[in-house]
Amino acid sequence: MRVPIGWLAEYVDIPAGTTVEDLDTAFVRLGLEVEEIHRPEQLTGPLVVGRVLEIEELTGFKKPIRYCQVDVGEAEARGVVCGARNFAVGDTVVVALPGAVLPGGFEIAARKTYDHVSDGMICSVRELGVGDDHAGILVLGSGSDDVPPPGTPAGPVVGLEDVVIELAVTPDRGYCLSMRGIAREMGTGLAAPWRDPGTRTAPAWAGERAWDVTVADPDRCDRFSMVAMEGLDPTAPSPWWMRRRLAQAGVRSISLAVDVTNYVMLELGQPMHAFDRDAVTGPITVRLAREGETLATLDGVERKLTSDDLLITDESGPIGLAAVMGGASTEIGDGTTAVLLEAAHWEPTGVARTARRHRLPSEAAKRFERGVDPELTVVALARAAELLAEYGGARVVGGVVDVDTRAPRPTIELDAAKPARVAGVPYTAAQVVELLGAVGCAVDSTGNPLMVTPPPWRPDLTDPADLIEEVIRLAGYDDIPSVLPTAPPGRGLTDVQRRRRAVGRTLAEAGYVEAPSYPFVGTPVFDAFGLADDDRRRSTVIVRNPLSEEEPALRTTLLPGLLAALARNLSRGQRDLALFEHGRVFPGDVRSPAPLPGVEGRPDDETLAALLGAVPEQPWHVAVALAGSREPRGWWGPGRPAGWADAVQAARLVAAAAGVELTVRAGEQAPWHPGRCAELLVGDRVVGYAGELHPRVCAALELPARTSVMELDVDALPPAAVPVGPPISTFPPVLIDLALVVGEDVPAAEVDEALREGAGELLESLRLFDVYTGPPVPAGSRSLAYALTLRAPARTLTSEEATTVRDAAVAAASQRTGAELRG
C-alpha cells in the first residue's frame, strides 16, 4: 500500500514538526512494515501555474508547432513554443520559467526556436517527474474549473513535494489497504485527531430500485448494493488531483468512471465496479458458475469457469467474475454515458480461491480476500456518485439497490486482566477499554469479563487472543520487557541432530554442494519417474492452499527437487555437478483425522495425543545427484566421469557418518536403471537405493545420460553406539593381495563379508582394488582383487600367522560364495 503523506494529512492532523522519519517509526511501532520511502525527484527554480491565453499555429515546419501566450501571474504574458496539441485556450498548465532545473538536470532558459523566442516551457507529467505520461502536456483544468490562479507555485499543486511511504500490509490487516484504515492507525499512533472518510451519510435517493437484483448464494455474498447513473460525459477527463493520487498509489488512470471507482477503493477500502448500463440486459443475479460456462474478462482472456466461481450475471450470462474482475461485454467504453455502480461484500476464502485458480491477483481481490467493511457498500456508492456528478455531469436515476443478509456481529468475552498477564505489563482495565475503543471495538465494561464487539472492518478479531494482541500492539511492543529464559545446562544437540549435521558435513567435505528445495511437488513428476500406480511414493499429502497449483503436494521423495536443481544448473552452463539435499519427506499412505481444538484454553492430553497422532510420518532422507565429471581432466591425465559407483560411495559415506555399516547389493527400483541400481541395506532392511537413472527418466527430465542419484532414509539407520576410536598398534602391518574368481552373479559385498569373517580380529582393513573379466578367467565369472592389511596389537606377526589368516579368509569366501583363489 502506497501512502502519500499529503493525502494522509487530509484525514490526520499530523503534529507540526513531524518528519518522514517520524512517520516511518510510527508505522513500524504499529506493526506496519515500511518497505520503501519514495521521495520526489529534485527540481529547483521557478515553476508556476499558467493559463493559456492565445495559441498561434506555426507552419512551414516538419511537425505541428504552436506558439502560445501564457499568463504566469506577471504583468505581461510569456511566449512559449510547444509541440503538444492536447490543450486549448483557457486551459491551466504548469510552466517552467527560465532558471528552473527539471529532474535529470534539464535546465530551462529563454531561447530562440522555430523563429520565436520560447520564454519557458509548458511541462508534461514525465518532465516533472510525477509520472510516465509523455503523450501531451499536463492540463490542470479548463477555465471553468476550480484551479489555482496564474503565478501560483506549481510544486504543491502537482505533488512535487509529496513523499510516498510504501507499506507491506500483512493478510490480517486488510483494512490498512485504504487511506481510511491508515488514517485510523496513524491517528492512534500519533495521538492526533483524525477524520473518518467513511462516516458520510448516504443521500436518500428517491424512486424505485435502479435494477432488479437477486443474490442466489448469500453465504458467498451477504451484501450487494448498486445504483444507476446517466448523463455521464464520456469525454470528461479525470481531474488532475485524482490522477496524481492514483499514480502515487501505483494505479493507472483509464477514464473518469474507472478512475473514480479505483479512487474510492483506495480512499475507503471498498472495491467497486462500473458496468456500462446500456450493455446490461435484464435482471442481475449473483450466483455460482455452471460447468462449461465461460467469461471474457477485462484483460481480454476467455476464462473457463468452475462451479466454485461466483459470478455477476444478466440475461446474456456472466458479466463479471465476482470480487475479482469485470467482464469485457459490459466494459466502460469511450462512448459510455450511463453506468451501473456496484459495491458488495464477498466471502473472503471464496474470493481467494477464484483469484488463485484464474491467476488474477487484482487489487479488488487482494482486499476482499483479506476482508473489507460491509458497512461501506452504500457509502462508497454515494462517494463515487458524488465524484461522477461533480466531474462528469452524471446524475443518479432511481433508488439504491441494497440486498443485505448479514448476520449480527458476534461478541467476545475478555478478562480485563488477561492482557497484563500475557504481556507482563500492568495494563489497567480502563486502559484496555480505551485501546480496544481505538481499534474500533464496542466495549461493554459494566462488568468483568468485558463484552467486546469487534468493528466490521476487522474480521480477523474472532477470539480473546486477537483482542489481547491489539491491546499490546497499540500500547506499544517496546513496553514489553525482554526476559531471556535461562537455558537448562548440559542439553546441547540431540543424537539425532548430531547425526544429521554429520551427514551434511561429510557430503560437503566429499565435494557435494547442498541444494535445498521447496518440499512441494506436482504429481506429473511421478509419471516422469516411471513409478507404478501402486507405488507408495504416489500417495501424497495435498496442501489446501498451495503456493503453486502445479505443485500442490508435499514431497514423498527428495529426488524431484534435487533433479530440478540439477537441470536448472545444467541449463545455465554448469557441466560437472555433485549436489545433495537432506530433509524431511511426507508419505501420505497412512492418514488419521485430526481434531480441531478451541483456543479458549490448553487442549487436554487426549486431544494433544490425537493431534500428534494425526501428523503424517516425516522421515529424514538424504539424496545426491551427479552429472558430468567427478574428477576433472588436467595435465595429470584424463578426468573420470561420475557414475553409479560414486552414488553408492556417497551412501557409504553417509552410513559411516551415521556410525553404521551398509551392505550393497543389486536391486530394482524406479526411477533407477534396472541393471545399474543398488539396494542399500542395514541388516536385512532396505534403507535406500543408488545408481544410474533410467534413460527414459533422463530424457523426460532433460538430464544427461547416465545421471546418477542416491536416496537414503537416514531415520531408518539404527542408532550408533558411542564411537570409540580403534586401538593404535605400534607394530608393523603385513600387506597381502589376493584375487578370487567368483560367478558374475555373486555380489562383491558378500565376498567382502566372507573375507572379513574368515580373517578374524587380525584384519585391520580390506579393500577391493580391481575387478577383471576376460581370459584366463572363465566365461560367466569375474576376478575380484583385494588388498588385506593384517596387524596384531601387541606383537609383530610372523609369516606363518599371516598365511594362516589368508587361508582362513579364502576358505570362508570359498564356502559362502564358491570363490576360488586365482593363481
Side-chain angles (χ1 to χ4, degrees):
M1 175 69 184
R2 291 173 172 242
V3 181
I5 295 178
W7 194 357
L8 179 64
E10 289 189 7
Y11 309 124
V12 181
D13 294 337
I14 299 175
T18 303
T19 65
V20 174
E21 289 69 25
D22 294 334
L23 294 176
D24 183 345
T25 302
F27 278 123
V28 173
R29 190 170 58 248
L30 290 166
L32 294 168
E33 179 186 352
V34 176
E35 286 196 327
E36 190 174 354
I37 296 177
H38 303 273
R39 300 180 185 273
E41 295 192 50
Q42 188 64 33
L43 187 152
T44 60
L47 185 75
V48 299
V49 173
R51 180 175 291 116
V52 180
L53 302 178
E54 298 178 11
I55 297 177
E56 177 187 352
E57 300 287 347
L58 303 182
T59 59
F61 301 101
K62 293 183 179 179
K63 60 180 182 178
I65 297 296
R66 291 170 148 188
Y67 184 63
C68 310
Q69 295 295 319
V70 184
D71 179 5
V72 293
E74 299 174 341
E76 296 183 2
R78 291 191 181 237
V80 180
V81 175
C82 183
R85 308 191 65 78
N86 66 317
F87 63 98
V89 172
D91 283 350
T92 301
V93 294
V94 177
V95 183
L97 301 179
V101 180
L102 300 183
F106 183 30
E107 298 182 5
I108 305 300
R111 62 190 183 94
K112 186 174 182 179
T113 179
Y114 297 102
D115 299 331
H116 290 74
V117 175
S118 183
D119 199 14
M121 185 177 79
I122 304 176
C123 301
S124 70
V125 168
R126 190 166 71 183
E127 288 163 344
L128 293 171
V130 293
D132 295 325
D133 186 9
H134 197 57
I137 59 96
L138 170 60
V139 177
L140 297 176
S142 62
S144 60
D145 293 333
D146 182 15
V147 293
T152 302
V157 176
V158 299
L160 292 178
E161 302 170 3
D162 206 357
V163 176
V164 178
I165 299 178
E166 186 170 356
L167 303 176
V169 179
T170 54
D172 62 327
R173 309 280 293 280
Y175 65 97
C176 286
L177 291 173
S178 69
M179 294 304 301
R180 181 195 185 208
I182 293 297
R184 175 181 291 105
E185 290 290 299
M186 290 307 290
T188 303
L190 297 175
W194 70 282
R195 293 159 293 282
D196 186 353
T199 57
R200 61 169 46 88
T201 302
W205 289 307
E208 297 182 359
R209 289 171 46 160
W211 216 266
D212 289 332
V213 175
T214 301
V215 178
D217 193 343
D219 291 336
R220 294 280 295 272
C221 176
D222 58 10
R223 190 171 189 185
F224 187 91
S225 306
M226 181 173 278
V227 70
M229 301 190 74
E230 62 182 24
L232 176 68
D233 180 1
T235 64
S238 300
W240 162 245
W241 63 265
M242 183 182 295
R243 285 183 284 137
R244 173 170 59 87
R245 286 182 173 174
L246 290 175
Q248 288 174 325
V251 178
R252 181 171 58 93
S253 175
I254 298 175
S255 65
L256 177 60
V258 176
D259 288 353
V260 163
T261 60
N262 286 332
Y263 178 80
V264 173
M265 176 185 69
L266 294 172
E267 181 183 55
L268 301 178
Q270 172 66 56
M272 304 176 63
H273 187 67
F275 298 91
D276 186 333
R277 195 185 71 174
D278 295 335
V280 179
T281 59
I284 286 177
T285 302
V286 179
R287 61 168 175 83
L288 291 172
R290 304 183 182 102
E291 290 295 339
E293 281 189 305
T294 61
L295 171 65
T297 47
L298 291 175
D299 56 359
V301 177
E302 186 79 17
R303 302 189 181 276
K304 296 181 180 179
L305 306 174
T306 72
S307 58
D308 189 48
D309 291 326
L310 193 63
L311 302 176
I312 301 173
T313 66
D314 65 1
E315 287 184 348
S316 67
I319 60 173
L321 195 57
V324 179
M325 185 173 284
S329 63
T330 55
E331 180 180 7
I332 298 294
D334 294 338
T336 298
T337 60
V339 297
L340 278 176
L341 295 177
E342 167 264 310
H345 183 255
W346 312 96
E347 191 270 324
T349 58
V351 175
R353 291 196 302 271
T354 298
R356 282 159 178 72
R357 181 164 48 248
H358 294 282
R359 298 179 184 176
L360 276 175
S362 65
E363 289 295 318
K366 182 166 66 174
R367 286 164 173 79
F368 279 124
E369 67 186 28
R370 287 163 170 78
V372 300
D373 186 354
E375 298 283 353
L376 285 182
T377 57
V378 176
V379 174
L381 291 177
R383 175 63 168 149
E386 174 189 359
L387 292 171
L388 288 176
E390 181 177 356
Y391 295 103
R395 62 185 181 278
V396 174
V397 181
V400 66
V401 176
D402 190 16
V403 182
D404 190 348
T405 60
R406 289 175 294 156
R409 298 201 302 275
T411 299
I412 305 171
E413 293 185 1
L414 175 65
D415 181 356
K418 193 166 185 180
R421 294 199 301 270
V422 171
V425 178
Y427 304 122
T428 65
Q431 190 177 5
V432 170
V433 172
E434 179 185 357
L435 292 172
L436 289 176
V439 173
C441 298
V443 184
D444 181 356
S445 58
T446 55
N448 193 18
L450 305 175
M451 305 304 294
V452 183
T453 303
W457 60 84
R458 293 300 301 271
D460 58 305
L461 303 182
T462 59
D463 296 287
D466 301 323
L467 301 177
I468 293 170
E469 181 182 358
E470 288 300 294
V471 169
I472 296 172
R473 180 178 69 86
L474 292 185
Y477 291 123
D478 294 340
D479 294 341
I480 301 175
S482 297
V483 180
L484 186 65
T486 303
R491 298 295 289 271
L493 298 176
T494 65
D495 292 339
V496 172
Q497 290 171 328
R498 278 194 290 268
R499 168 178 279 189
R500 291 172 181 172
R501 292 193 180 191
V503 167
R505 185 170 56 249
T506 298
L507 288 174
E509 291 171 350
Y512 290 85
V513 176
E514 186 172 6
S517 60
Y518 287 113
F520 308 111
V521 296
T523 52
V525 74
F526 299 136
D527 297 328
F529 279 9
L531 303 189
D533 292 340
D534 59 351
D535 194 297
R536 180 171 184 250
R537 290 168 289 176
R538 282 188 178 271
S539 299
T540 58
V541 177
I542 302 298
V543 180
R544 285 188 176 180
N545 188 21
L547 295 177
S548 168
E549 293 293 342
E550 285 77 22
E551 295 182 333
L554 292 174
R555 66 190 179 192
T556 55
T557 167
L558 297 180
L559 295 183
L562 190 62
L563 293 176
L566 188 75
R568 189 180 308 113
N569 280 274
L570 288 168
S571 69
R572 295 177 180 176
Q574 301 295 326
R575 288 293 174 264
D576 304 325
L577 293 167
L579 306 181
F580 84 93
E581 180 178 5
H582 57 146
R584 296 193 183 278
V585 297
F586 309 88
D589 53 342
V590 179
R591 309 231 187 136
S592 58
L596 186 61
V599 297
E600 63 278 357
R602 183 183 186 277
D604 56 32
D605 293 341
E606 183 179 350
T607 303
L608 285 175
L611 282 170
L612 294 175
V615 176
E617 182 188 3
Q618 302 172 55
W620 192 274
H621 282 205
V622 62
V624 305
L626 304 105
S629 296
R630 188 69 179 114
E631 296 176 1
R633 66 179 182 177
W635 57 265
W636 51 83
R640 180 179 66 81
W644 63 267
D646 295 295
V648 173
Q649 180 60 22
R652 293 187 187 278
L653 291 173
V654 168
V660 298
E661 189 172 345
L662 205 62
T663 302
V664 180
R665 71 183 183 195
E668 286 193 18
Q669 174 86 335
W672 283 272
H673 193 298
R676 294 172 182 157
C677 174
E679 281 184 342
L680 311 174
L681 301 95
V682 174
D684 296 330
R685 181 179 180 182
V686 177
V687 296
Y689 293 87
E692 288 183 9
L693 287 177
H694 196 288
R696 284 197 296 268
V697 176
C698 292
L701 301 181
E702 298 182 356
L703 295 172
R706 300 207 165 185
T707 295
S708 298
V709 298
M710 177 276 291
E711 184 169 14
L712 185 147
D713 185 351
V714 177
D715 285 354
L717 302 179
V722 176
V724 178
I728 300 176
S729 174
T730 59
F731 294 90
V734 176
L735 306 178
I736 298 176
D737 291 347
L738 58 85
L740 301 176
V741 177
V742 297
E744 286 187 340
D745 57 344
V746 177
E750 190 172 345
V751 179
D752 184 293
E753 185 178 350
L755 289 172
R756 292 180 183 276
E757 181 180 333
E761 296 180 353
L762 294 178
L763 179 65
E764 184 175 272
S765 68
L766 174 71
R767 182 173 61 88
L768 175 67
F769 68 85
D770 185 52
V771 179
Y772 173 75
T773 56
V777 177
S781 298
R782 57 178 176 168
S783 171
L784 305 179
Y786 290 90
L788 288 73
T789 301
L790 310 179
R791 194 193 308 255
R795 68 183 191 281
T796 300
L797 289 178
T798 64
S799 60
E800 291 79 7
E801 288 176 310
T803 301
T804 301
V805 171
R806 184 200 64 181
D807 293 343
V810 172
S814 177
Q815 182 178 358
R816 287 185 54 177
T817 67
E820 296 181 0
L821 186 63
R822 181 180 171 189

